[in-house]
Amino acid sequence: MNMENRLGLVKPLVPPNGARFLDMYFKGHGVNPTVNTEEERFSTFSVDTDTASYTLTRAYLERQSLPDEQAVRVEEFVNTFDYGYADAEDAPFGVHVEGFPSPVRKGYQVVRIGVKAREVSDAQRKPSHLVFVIDVSGSMNMENRLGLVKHALRMLVEELDERDFVSIVVYGSQARRVLAPTSATQQARLLEAIDGLYSEGSTNAQEGLELGYQIASEHLIPGGINRVILCSDGVANVGVSDADGIWAKVKGFAARGITLSTVGFGMGNYNDALMERLSHVGEGNYAYVDGLKEAHRIFVQNLTGTLQVVAKDVKLQVEFDPKDVSLYRLLGYENRMLTKQQFRDDRVDAGEVGAGHSVTALYEVKLREGASDLGTLRIRYKAPEGGDSKELETKLPITALRANYARARSTTRLAYVAAAFAEKLRGSYWTRPLTYASLLELWRVVGLEDRQDVSELGDLIRMAAALDQRQDRFESLAPLKSMDYDQAPSVL
């Protein structure tokens, strides 16, 4: 039995049209409901700065196929883009709020909440020991898998310096150490090890991770960055007998300061659910690499922010006052939701935030007449080295609302288009009235035409429009012409 079946996480799915990528594994978490503030005024969730879902969707569309709906996570679409938030001058996080009337959902305001962590210059970055655990099994024997891993590592080597050490573990049928902890100043030795990687055997991920953690533990840098980085297509079919034991070990190492990030490669035989969960339990981040451009973004452009954690166990909570807000819905973060009680329970793990990283969340809120505030935002977090949590609180002023979509900042419009695109791809009830033509018009109004990532977003929307032949699955239950904008049908 393979790892994904043992874990009980997922089932293999096939894209709705276009190319057929067999053995792609995803786990859906549903779509957040609209909540009545009289029943629950608190919206609480763990932060998420992953971007894999957006990149994986891009890989699908560029291969002329819609992504599986369960592969689409709204928050990862939104958090792919840089919104240019400023740092706070006297606090660990800057908070940025803006809203406008929803172009799609009648009677609602879209509220964008952006939280920006403090910047850390490259010179201030802590020393690191990076242990790469690389899948070299037969399924990785492709240029866009193991070949791309090697390209990415070469880029990384160029960015490291005398503060950094690199170790390499590979696993096929068995795990073995390819490179003992080596100073990044020894570039020739590092590149020789990278160039010598080759495909071999089946996929013993458990043994690979165990050896990687062993090396990280034996060569721990006190007070530094100690990170295991798994590079794989997520397939694991040998050596797994105790799934719960794996999660416990990964969580235990994270508590000791050895975090786990996962970087995915490949289309077909790819396990998104496994890679995402490993990174969450390991308190790292999850990225997907679909080409050299993305490899450069992850391993070069975002290196300091990806490695240098400035806050851990970061939780966000928005309290909506029922006298001001009657209904609300959080877009995305379904697998990061927490209860009101878990917000102040320091035993509950949450996401980490790297230097300069921002987290953006969008809400749809229905205001009462005469509303005086949008709500109260609370941020709870620990220092990177742990200890007691600290809590920040800030009001979300109603003056942050703009008269219409066009009056909002271009970056706020961009966040909304990214979220709406994800909602449409995953078949959300709430975007039924939104056509691709309307979405493209919203994208055009964003502006920022000179930004390559924004231009690419428009291209992806056009690709999806040409491919999407799905019928409205809700029409027989709730005809669009009489759609209830407050509540979805109870049978959904």
Side-chain angles (χ1 to χ4, degrees), residues 202-393:
S202 50
T203 315
N204 196 334
Q206 180 177 359
E207 192 172 298
L209 284 171
E210 288 177 348
L211 180 54
Y213 276 120
Q214 178 185 329
I215 293 171
S217 298
E218 292 173 351
H219 301 274
L220 189 77
I221 299 177
I225 298 165
N226 299 276
R227 180 78 53 107
V228 175
I229 303 173
L230 175 65
C231 299
S232 173
D233 56 14
V235 177
N237 52 28
V238 175
V240 178
S241 58
D242 180 11
D244 290 336
I246 292 172
W247 305 131
K249 288 179 181 178
V250 171
K251 188 173 182 178
F253 279 113
R256 292 171 52 193
I258 303 173
T259 55
L260 172 67
S261 288
T262 58
V263 185
F265 297 82
M267 292 290 287
N269 297 316
Y270 182 74
N271 192 328
D272 171 79
L274 174 61
M275 297 290 277
E276 184 195 21
R277 187 173 179 190
L278 279 170
S279 70
H280 286 190
V281 175
E283 298 187 12
N285 55 297
Y286 169 37
Y288 177 84
V289 175
D290 61 345
L292 288 175
K293 183 175 69 174
E294 189 66 17
H296 186 270
R297 189 178 78 87
I298 293 169
F299 289 99
V300 177
Q301 289 178 300
N302 294 347
L303 179 64
T304 298
T306 299
L307 296 180
Q308 179 83 48
V309 175
V310 296
K312 61 183 294 187
D313 289 337
V314 183
K315 305 169 186 175
L316 302 186
Q317 182 180 80
V318 179
E319 180 182 0
F320 295 101
D321 190 329
K323 71 177 175 56
D324 293 317
V325 175
S326 59
L327 300 166
Y328 68 88
R329 186 174 81 93
L330 173 62
L331 279 65
Y333 293 94
E334 282 82 6
N335 64 339
R336 295 283 195 160
M337 299 300 290
L338 300 172
T339 64
K340 176 179 66 176
Q341 293 75 19
Q342 288 175 321
F343 181 68
R344 292 194 173 94
D345 186 345
D346 286 353
R347 297 169 298 177
V348 177
D349 294 330
E352 66 172 23
V353 177
H357 274 180
S358 61
V359 178
T360 298
L362 289 98
Y363 283 89
E364 293 170 331
V365 301
K366 191 170 189 177
L367 299 176
R368 296 191 189 277
E369 187 174 351
S372 58
D373 273 307
L374 296 174
T376 300
L377 171 68
R378 298 183 181 92
I379 307 171
R380 194 167 177 86
Y381 68 98
K382 295 176 184 175
E385 57 274 12
D388 295 334
S389 289
K390 299 178 181 180
E391 189 171 317
L392 303 174
E393 179 176 308

Side-chain angles (χ1 to χ4, degrees), residues 97-116:
V97 185
E98 192 173 50
F100 53 85
S102 171
V104 175
R105 198 169 175 191
K106 295 178 182 177
Y108 283 75
Q109 300 282 331
V110 174
V111 178
R112 185 224 64 201
I113 301 172
V115 176
K116 168 72 180 298

Side-chain angles (χ1 to χ4, degrees), residues 20-91:
R20 296 171 66 87
F21 302 112
L22 300 179
D23 295 325
M24 298 288 284
Y25 294 82
F26 304 103
K27 180 176 177 61
H29 299 274
V31 175
N32 280 333
T34 298
V35 180
N36 189 319
T37 55
E38 298 286 355
E39 299 173 0
E40 180 54 77
R41 64 196 292 171
F42 294 94
S43 173
T44 309
F45 60 98
S46 165
V47 302
D48 186 356
T49 58
D50 295 346
T51 60
S53 178
Y54 180 83
T55 316
L56 190 57
T57 294
R58 180 173 66 199
Y60 265 109
L61 293 173
E62 289 178 346
R63 289 164 175 80
Q64 296 297 299
S65 180
L66 286 180
D68 190 283
E69 291 179 5
Q70 295 186 72
V72 178
R73 294 180 288 274
V74 174
E75 67 278 8
E76 295 184 25
F77 274 55
V78 173
N79 287 318
T80 292
F81 296 91
D82 179 7
Y83 301 109
Y85 300 137
D87 284 354
E89 293 183 1
D90 54 357

